[in-house]
mmCIF file of all heavy atoms in Angstrom:
data_model
loop_
_atom_site.group_PDB
_atom_site.id
_atom_site.type_symbol
_atom_site.label_atom_id
_atom_site.label_comp_id
_atom_site.label_asym_id
_atom_site.label_seq_id
_atom_site.Cartn_x
_atom_site.Cartn_y
_atom_site.Cartn_z
ATOM 1 N N LYS A 287 0.833 -1.204 0.000
ATOM 2 C CA LYS A 287 0.000 0.000 0.000
ATOM 3 C C LYS A 287 0.865 1.251 0.000
ATOM 4 O O LYS A 287 0.597 2.216 -0.729
ATOM 5 C CB LYS A 287 -0.906 -0.018 1.226
ATOM 6 C CG LYS A 287 -1.767 1.216 1.410
ATOM 7 C CD LYS A 287 -2.932 1.236 0.481
ATOM 8 C CE LYS A 287 -3.891 2.363 0.806
ATOM 9 N NZ LYS A 287 -5.039 2.434 -0.101
ATOM 10 N N VAL A 288 1.913 1.249 0.790
ATOM 11 C CA VAL A 288 2.800 2.406 0.872
ATOM 12 C C VAL A 288 3.554 2.588 -0.444
ATOM 13 O O VAL A 288 3.675 3.702 -0.960
ATOM 14 C CB VAL A 288 3.769 2.249 2.059
ATOM 15 C CG1 VAL A 288 4.753 3.406 2.106
ATOM 16 C CG2 VAL A 288 2.993 2.152 3.374
ATOM 17 N N ALA A 289 4.027 1.496 -1.005
ATOM 18 C CA ALA A 289 4.758 1.573 -2.271
ATOM 19 C C ALA A 289 3.881 2.133 -3.377
ATOM 20 O O ALA A 289 4.342 2.930 -4.211
ATOM 21 C CB ALA A 289 5.279 0.190 -2.655
ATOM 22 N N ALA A 290 2.606 1.745 -3.395
ATOM 23 C CA ALA A 290 1.687 2.228 -4.432
ATOM 24 C C ALA A 290 1.492 3.736 -4.351
ATOM 25 O O ALA A 290 1.189 4.382 -5.360
ATOM 26 C CB ALA A 290 0.346 1.518 -4.310
ATOM 27 N N ALA A 291 1.671 4.298 -3.177
ATOM 28 C CA ALA A 291 1.525 5.744 -2.999
ATOM 29 C C ALA A 291 2.805 6.500 -3.312
ATOM 30 O O ALA A 291 2.820 7.732 -3.267
ATOM 31 C CB ALA A 291 1.080 6.043 -1.569
ATOM 32 N N GLY A 292 3.886 5.769 -3.616
ATOM 33 C CA GLY A 292 5.149 6.418 -3.932
ATOM 34 C C GLY A 292 5.861 6.991 -2.735
ATOM 35 O O GLY A 292 6.639 7.953 -2.858
ATOM 36 N N VAL A 293 5.622 6.401 -1.571
ATOM 37 C CA VAL A 293 6.210 6.892 -0.324
ATOM 38 C C VAL A 293 7.215 5.873 0.186
ATOM 39 O O VAL A 293 7.028 4.659 0.040
ATOM 40 C CB VAL A 293 5.104 7.131 0.730
ATOM 41 C CG1 VAL A 293 5.691 7.494 2.089
ATOM 42 C CG2 VAL A 293 4.149 8.227 0.245
ATOM 43 N N GLY A 294 8.290 6.355 0.807
ATOM 44 C CA GLY A 294 9.282 5.463 1.387
ATOM 45 C C GLY A 294 8.693 4.624 2.505
ATOM 46 O O GLY A 294 7.778 5.054 3.210
ATOM 47 N N PHE A 295 9.228 3.403 2.673
ATOM 48 C CA PHE A 295 8.689 2.492 3.675
ATOM 49 C C PHE A 295 9.802 1.939 4.540
ATOM 50 O O PHE A 295 10.825 1.464 4.032
ATOM 51 C CB PHE A 295 7.942 1.335 3.005
ATOM 52 C CG PHE A 295 7.376 0.328 3.968
ATOM 53 C CD1 PHE A 295 6.345 0.681 4.822
ATOM 54 C CD2 PHE A 295 7.873 -0.975 4.023
ATOM 55 C CE1 PHE A 295 5.809 -0.242 5.719
ATOM 56 C CE2 PHE A 295 7.347 -1.909 4.905
ATOM 57 C CZ PHE A 295 6.310 -1.536 5.757
ATOM 58 N N ALA A 296 9.626 2.020 5.849
ATOM 59 C CA ALA A 296 10.546 1.403 6.798
ATOM 60 C C ALA A 296 9.819 0.238 7.454
ATOM 61 O O ALA A 296 8.831 0.433 8.165
ATOM 62 C CB ALA A 296 10.987 2.414 7.852
ATOM 63 N N ASP A 297 10.295 -0.964 7.194
ATOM 64 C CA ASP A 297 9.625 -2.180 7.665
ATOM 65 C C ASP A 297 9.980 -2.437 9.127
ATOM 66 O O ASP A 297 11.142 -2.693 9.467
ATOM 67 C CB ASP A 297 10.064 -3.367 6.796
ATOM 68 C CG ASP A 297 9.206 -4.599 7.003
ATOM 69 O OD1 ASP A 297 8.593 -4.719 8.088
ATOM 70 O OD2 ASP A 297 9.149 -5.439 6.081
ATOM 71 N N LEU A 298 8.960 -2.369 9.982
ATOM 72 C CA LEU A 298 9.154 -2.602 11.414
ATOM 73 C C LEU A 298 8.883 -4.040 11.817
ATOM 74 O O LEU A 298 8.830 -4.350 13.002
ATOM 75 C CB LEU A 298 8.241 -1.666 12.215
ATOM 76 C CG LEU A 298 8.484 -0.164 12.038
ATOM 77 C CD1 LEU A 298 7.458 0.632 12.854
ATOM 78 C CD2 LEU A 298 9.900 0.222 12.418
ATOM 79 N N GLY A 299 8.714 -4.911 10.825
ATOM 80 C CA GLY A 299 8.455 -6.306 11.125
ATOM 81 C C GLY A 299 6.967 -6.599 11.207
ATOM 82 O O GLY A 299 6.127 -5.760 10.867
ATOM 83 N N PRO A 300 6.612 -7.779 11.662
ATOM 84 C CA PRO A 300 5.198 -8.172 11.691
ATOM 85 C C PRO A 300 4.405 -7.404 12.738
ATOM 86 O O PRO A 300 4.952 -6.927 13.730
ATOM 87 C CB PRO A 300 5.258 -9.666 12.026
ATOM 88 C CG PRO A 300 6.545 -9.825 12.774
ATOM 89 C CD PRO A 300 7.512 -8.845 12.149
ATOM 90 N N ALA A 301 3.109 -7.313 12.491
ATOM 91 C CA ALA A 301 2.214 -6.714 13.482
ATOM 92 C C ALA A 301 2.157 -7.597 14.723
ATOM 93 O O ALA A 301 2.485 -8.787 14.671
ATOM 94 C CB ALA A 301 0.816 -6.559 12.881
ATOM 95 N N PRO A 302 1.748 -7.047 15.857
ATOM 96 C CA PRO A 302 1.589 -7.879 17.054
ATOM 97 C C PRO A 302 0.669 -9.065 16.765
ATOM 98 O O PRO A 302 -0.258 -8.971 15.960
ATOM 99 C CB PRO A 302 0.954 -6.915 18.064
ATOM 100 C CG PRO A 302 1.397 -5.565 17.629
ATOM 101 C CD PRO A 302 1.449 -5.632 16.133
ATOM 102 N N ALA A 303 0.934 -10.173 17.415
ATOM 103 C CA ALA A 303 0.183 -11.409 17.181
ATOM 104 C C ALA A 303 -1.315 -11.170 17.322
ATOM 105 O O ALA A 303 -1.778 -10.578 18.303
ATOM 106 C CB ALA A 303 0.636 -12.486 18.157
ATOM 107 N N GLY A 304 -2.057 -11.633 16.319
ATOM 108 C CA GLY A 304 -3.509 -11.500 16.328
ATOM 109 C C GLY A 304 -4.027 -10.232 15.708
ATOM 110 O O GLY A 304 -5.246 -10.030 15.626
ATOM 111 N N PHE A 305 -3.108 -9.356 15.250
ATOM 112 C CA PHE A 305 -3.541 -8.068 14.729
ATOM 113 C C PHE A 305 -2.930 -7.769 13.357
ATOM 114 O O PHE A 305 -2.470 -6.660 13.083
ATOM 115 C CB PHE A 305 -3.190 -6.945 15.716
ATOM 116 C CG PHE A 305 -3.868 -7.084 17.048
ATOM 117 C CD1 PHE A 305 -3.126 -7.262 18.199
ATOM 118 C CD2 PHE A 305 -5.255 -7.065 17.140
ATOM 119 C CE1 PHE A 305 -3.740 -7.404 19.433
ATOM 120 C CE2 PHE A 305 -5.874 -7.218 18.366
ATOM 121 C CZ PHE A 305 -5.126 -7.376 19.519
ATOM 122 N N SER A 306 -2.943 -8.766 12.498
ATOM 123 C CA SER A 306 -2.548 -8.516 11.119
ATOM 124 C C SER A 306 -3.565 -7.588 10.474
ATOM 125 O O SER A 306 -4.652 -7.346 11.019
ATOM 126 C CB SER A 306 -2.489 -9.826 10.331
ATOM 127 O OG SER A 306 -3.797 -10.348 10.165
ATOM 128 N N LEU A 307 -3.254 -7.076 9.289
ATOM 129 C CA LEU A 307 -4.162 -6.154 8.617
ATOM 130 C C LEU A 307 -5.526 -6.802 8.381
ATOM 131 O O LEU A 307 -6.571 -6.193 8.637
ATOM 132 C CB LEU A 307 -3.542 -5.701 7.288
ATOM 133 C CG LEU A 307 -4.289 -4.606 6.530
ATOM 134 C CD1 LEU A 307 -4.503 -3.384 7.404
ATOM 135 C CD2 LEU A 307 -3.532 -4.237 5.260
ATOM 136 N N ALA A 308 -5.530 -8.041 7.926
ATOM 137 C CA ALA A 308 -6.796 -8.734 7.673
ATOM 138 C C ALA A 308 -7.569 -8.944 8.974
ATOM 139 O O ALA A 308 -8.800 -8.789 9.016
ATOM 140 C CB ALA A 308 -6.532 -10.067 6.988
ATOM 141 N N GLU A 309 -6.864 -9.298 10.045
ATOM 142 C CA GLU A 309 -7.532 -9.520 11.331
ATOM 143 C C GLU A 309 -8.106 -8.222 11.889
ATOM 144 O O GLU A 309 -9.192 -8.217 12.491
ATOM 145 C CB GLU A 309 -6.547 -10.142 12.319
ATOM 146 C CG GLU A 309 -6.207 -11.599 11.991
ATOM 147 C CD GLU A 309 -5.039 -12.132 12.795
ATOM 148 O OE1 GLU A 309 -4.060 -11.367 13.027
ATOM 149 O OE2 GLU A 309 -5.089 -13.308 13.194
ATOM 150 N N ARG A 310 -7.400 -7.116 11.682
ATOM 151 C CA ARG A 310 -7.899 -5.814 12.139
ATOM 152 C C ARG A 310 -9.214 -5.471 11.449
ATOM 153 O O ARG A 310 -10.178 -5.050 12.073
ATOM 154 C CB ARG A 310 -6.884 -4.710 11.836
ATOM 155 C CG ARG A 310 -5.636 -4.728 12.670
ATOM 156 C CD ARG A 310 -4.592 -3.780 12.075
ATOM 157 N NE ARG A 310 -3.303 -4.014 12.694
ATOM 158 C CZ ARG A 310 -2.845 -3.359 13.756
ATOM 159 N NH1 ARG A 310 -3.569 -2.402 14.284
ATOM 160 N NH2 ARG A 310 -1.678 -3.648 14.272
ATOM 161 N N GLN A 311 -9.209 -5.615 10.134
ATOM 162 C CA GLN A 311 -10.392 -5.239 9.370
ATOM 163 C C GLN A 311 -11.593 -6.085 9.765
ATOM 164 O O GLN A 311 -12.716 -5.565 9.904
ATOM 165 C CB GLN A 311 -10.090 -5.367 7.874
ATOM 166 C CG GLN A 311 -9.090 -4.328 7.381
ATOM 167 C CD GLN A 311 -8.642 -4.566 5.956
ATOM 168 O OE1 GLN A 311 -8.603 -5.692 5.475
ATOM 169 N NE2 GLN A 311 -8.288 -3.494 5.273
ATOM 170 N N ALA A 312 -11.380 -7.374 9.962
ATOM 171 C CA ALA A 312 -12.483 -8.248 10.372
ATOM 172 C C ALA A 312 -13.001 -7.851 11.748
ATOM 173 O O ALA A 312 -14.215 -7.835 11.993
ATOM 174 C CB ALA A 312 -12.016 -9.698 10.374
ATOM 175 N N MET A 313 -12.096 -7.524 12.652
ATOM 176 C CA MET A 313 -12.494 -7.159 14.005
ATOM 177 C C MET A 313 -13.230 -5.824 14.031
ATOM 178 O O MET A 313 -14.304 -5.689 14.630
ATOM 179 C CB MET A 313 -11.261 -7.071 14.900
ATOM 180 C CG MET A 313 -11.533 -6.540 16.304
ATOM 181 S SD MET A 313 -10.026 -6.372 17.261
ATOM 182 C CE MET A 313 -9.122 -5.153 16.299
ATOM 183 N N LEU A 314 -12.690 -4.818 13.349
ATOM 184 C CA LEU A 314 -13.256 -3.482 13.408
ATOM 185 C C LEU A 314 -14.627 -3.401 12.758
ATOM 186 O O LEU A 314 -15.448 -2.543 13.116
ATOM 187 C CB LEU A 314 -12.297 -2.483 12.756
ATOM 188 C CG LEU A 314 -10.989 -2.250 13.527
ATOM 189 C CD1 LEU A 314 -10.007 -1.444 12.694
ATOM 190 C CD2 LEU A 314 -11.266 -1.542 14.846
ATOM 191 N N SER A 315 -14.906 -4.286 11.809
ATOM 192 C CA SER A 315 -16.224 -4.268 11.175
ATOM 193 C C SER A 315 -17.317 -4.653 12.154
ATOM 194 O O SER A 315 -18.493 -4.365 11.933
ATOM 195 C CB SER A 315 -16.248 -5.208 9.965
ATOM 196 O OG SER A 315 -16.122 -6.560 10.383
ATOM 197 N N GLY A 316 -16.933 -5.278 13.254
ATOM 198 C CA GLY A 316 -17.905 -5.642 14.283
ATOM 199 C C GLY A 316 -17.919 -4.681 15.449
ATOM 200 O O GLY A 316 -18.457 -4.993 16.514
ATOM 201 N N ALA A 317 -17.351 -3.504 15.266
ATOM 202 C CA ALA A 317 -17.298 -2.520 16.353
ATOM 203 C C ALA A 317 -18.699 -2.165 16.811
ATOM 204 O O ALA A 317 -19.632 -2.072 16.025
ATOM 205 C CB ALA A 317 -16.566 -1.272 15.882
ATOM 206 N N GLY A 318 -18.832 -1.938 18.099
ATOM 207 C CA GLY A 318 -20.127 -1.606 18.676
ATOM 208 C C GLY A 318 -20.477 -2.531 19.824
ATOM 209 O O GLY A 318 -21.150 -2.131 20.773
ATOM 210 N N SER A 319 -20.011 -3.783 19.768
ATOM 211 C CA SER A 319 -20.264 -4.714 20.866
ATOM 212 C C SER A 319 -19.182 -4.556 21.928
ATOM 213 O O SER A 319 -18.030 -4.252 21.605
ATOM 214 C CB SER A 319 -20.272 -6.150 20.349
ATOM 215 O OG SER A 319 -18.957 -6.586 20.054
ATOM 216 N N PRO A 320 -19.513 -4.771 23.210
ATOM 217 C CA PRO A 320 -18.516 -4.638 24.286
ATOM 218 C C PRO A 320 -17.317 -5.562 24.092
ATOM 219 O O PRO A 320 -16.177 -5.166 24.355
ATOM 220 C CB PRO A 320 -19.308 -5.000 25.543
ATOM 221 C CG PRO A 320 -20.727 -4.678 25.195
ATOM 222 C CD PRO A 320 -20.869 -4.996 23.741
ATOM 223 N N LEU A 321 -17.555 -6.780 23.627
ATOM 224 C CA LEU A 321 -16.458 -7.722 23.437
ATOM 225 C C LEU A 321 -15.483 -7.223 22.369
ATOM 226 O O LEU A 321 -14.262 -7.285 22.548
ATOM 227 C CB LEU A 321 -17.014 -9.094 23.039
ATOM 228 C CG LEU A 321 -15.973 -10.222 22.912
ATOM 229 C CD1 LEU A 321 -15.276 -10.453 24.246
ATOM 230 C CD2 LEU A 321 -16.651 -11.509 22.430
ATOM 231 N N THR A 322 -16.032 -6.702 21.276
ATOM 232 C CA THR A 322 -15.168 -6.174 20.216
ATOM 233 C C THR A 322 -14.405 -4.957 20.703
ATOM 234 O O THR A 322 -13.227 -4.790 20.385
ATOM 235 C CB THR A 322 -16.007 -5.821 18.973
ATOM 236 O OG1 THR A 322 -16.681 -6.990 18.510
ATOM 237 C CG2 THR A 322 -15.121 -5.292 17.857
ATOM 238 N N MET A 323 -15.059 -4.091 21.464
ATOM 239 C CA MET A 323 -14.375 -2.901 21.959
ATOM 240 C C MET A 323 -13.212 -3.276 22.869
ATOM 241 O O MET A 323 -12.158 -2.635 22.834
ATOM 242 C CB MET A 323 -15.363 -1.994 22.701
ATOM 243 C CG MET A 323 -16.368 -1.305 21.790
ATOM 244 S SD MET A 323 -15.614 -0.425 20.382
ATOM 245 C CE MET A 323 -14.562 0.765 21.240
ATOM 246 N N ARG A 324 -13.367 -4.316 23.677
ATOM 247 C CA ARG A 324 -12.254 -4.771 24.522
ATOM 248 C C ARG A 324 -11.072 -5.205 23.659
ATOM 249 O O ARG A 324 -9.923 -4.906 23.973
ATOM 250 C CB ARG A 324 -12.714 -5.931 25.407
ATOM 251 C CG ARG A 324 -13.581 -5.523 26.575
ATOM 252 C CD ARG A 324 -13.912 -6.721 27.460
ATOM 253 N NE ARG A 324 -12.706 -7.303 28.042
ATOM 254 C CZ ARG A 324 -12.691 -8.409 28.772
ATOM 255 N NH1 ARG A 324 -13.825 -9.058 29.001
ATOM 256 N NH2 ARG A 324 -11.564 -8.876 29.267
ATOM 257 N N ARG A 325 -11.385 -5.878 22.564
ATOM 258 C CA ARG A 325 -10.307 -6.329 21.684
ATOM 259 C C ARG A 325 -9.659 -5.156 20.951
ATOM 260 O O ARG A 325 -8.453 -5.147 20.729
ATOM 261 C CB ARG A 325 -10.861 -7.359 20.689
ATOM 262 C CG ARG A 325 -9.804 -7.962 19.794
ATOM 263 C CD ARG A 325 -10.089 -9.416 19.487
ATOM 264 N NE ARG A 325 -9.164 -9.957 18.498
ATOM 265 C CZ ARG A 325 -7.915 -10.313 18.749
ATOM 266 N NH1 ARG A 325 -7.425 -10.165 19.971
ATOM 267 N NH2 ARG A 325 -7.155 -10.819 17.799
#
């Protein structure tokens, strides 16, 4: 995504366990419930 924008990228390694980009998007789409907000 960063490369497509023509911006320099510094790779900080993998996201914290359980919070990859795909996992974030799936989780945030369920925002509103107390359990999701805790996560």
Side-chain angles (χ1 to χ4, degrees):
K287 176 76 172 179
V288 177
V293 174
F295 179 67
D297 193 336
L298 298 178
F305 298 117
S306 69
L307 187 55
E309 289 169 322
R310 289 168 193 267
Q311 291 172 331
M313 173 183 62
L314 292 170
S315 67
S319 74
L321 185 61
T322 301
M323 289 309 300
R324 284 184 62 185
R325 184 145 173 77

